Amino acid sequence: KLYHQNKKTKTGDTFIKIKNDPRVTKVGNFIRNTSIDELPQLFNVLKGDMSLVGNRPLPLYEAEKLTTDHFSLRFVAPAGITGLWQVTKRGQGEMSEEERMSLDNDYASDFSFTRDIQILLKTVPALLQKENV
C-alpha cells in the first residue's frame, strides 16, 4: 500500500524499502538474499555501461527527484553494481534515505581506484552476511 500510495502522489522518500515486502515471493526472496539478482548487471559492466563500483543507477522517477537539490552530485560518479552505501552499514541496522544520499555524494566527490578496491573488499563479506537485504 505504501509503495503504491507514494507512487500515485509522487511524494515520500526517494528510496523506498519496505520491510517484509508482501510483493516479494519466496523465490524472489531467495534471489535477493543470495544477491544473484545482481548477476545480469555484469553484462552492463562488460558492455561498459556500468562499473563494478559506483553509485546505484536509479529509476527515472527517483533520479528526477534528486536532480533539483544538493544530492545531484551523486550523478558525477559512475554507475556501479556495489557502492559505498551498500557496504557502509550492512548488517548494522537500517540506513536512512538521507544517509544513503549523503554517502552517494561522498563517493562522487572522492572516487578513485584505491577507494573502489576498498569497497570491493568490503562487498565480499557483505554478500556472505546473513541479514536479509
Side-chain angles (χ1 to χ4, degrees), residues 23-42:
R23 299 168 296 155
V24 179
T25 65
K26 288 181 182 182
V27 173
N29 197 36
F30 171 78
I31 290 170
R32 279 186 173 183
N33 289 334
T34 58
S35 297
I36 59 176
D37 58 329
E38 300 295 337
L39 289 177
Q41 298 301 336
L42 289 176

Side-chain angles (χ1 to χ4, degrees), residues 4-59:
H4 290 294
Q5 181 182 357
N6 282 339
K7 193 169 181 182
K8 284 181 186 176
T9 61
K10 293 189 179 184
T11 60
D13 293 341
T14 304
F15 299 99
I16 298 173
K17 285 195 169 209
I18 302 170
K19 201 169 205 154
N20 300 318
D21 191 336
R23 299 168 296 155
V24 179
T25 65
K26 288 181 182 182
V27 173
N29 197 36
F30 171 78
I31 290 170
R32 279 186 173 183
N33 289 334
T34 58
S35 297
I36 59 176
D37 58 329
E38 300 295 337
L39 289 177
Q41 298 301 336
L42 289 176
F43 293 113
N44 291 325
V45 172
L46 294 174
K47 283 178 24 183
D49 293 340
M50 287 180 76
S51 175
L52 284 175
V53 179
N55 291 330
R56 292 297 296 207
L58 298 174

Side-chain angles (χ1 to χ4, degrees), residues 96-131:
S96 72
E97 176 183 1
E98 186 83 17
E99 286 176 298
R100 286 191 291 270
M101 291 190 296
S102 181
L103 287 168
D104 278 351
N105 274 356
D106 289 349
Y107 177 77
S109 65
D110 187 30
F111 64 96
S112 66
F113 180 73
T114 305
R115 194 167 194 193
D116 287 357
I117 295 298
Q118 291 170 342
I119 292 170
L120 283 172
L121 291 173
K122 289 180 181 179
T123 299
V124 174
L127 287 172
L128 300 175
Q129 56 85 27
K130 301 278 188 228
E131 176 190 346

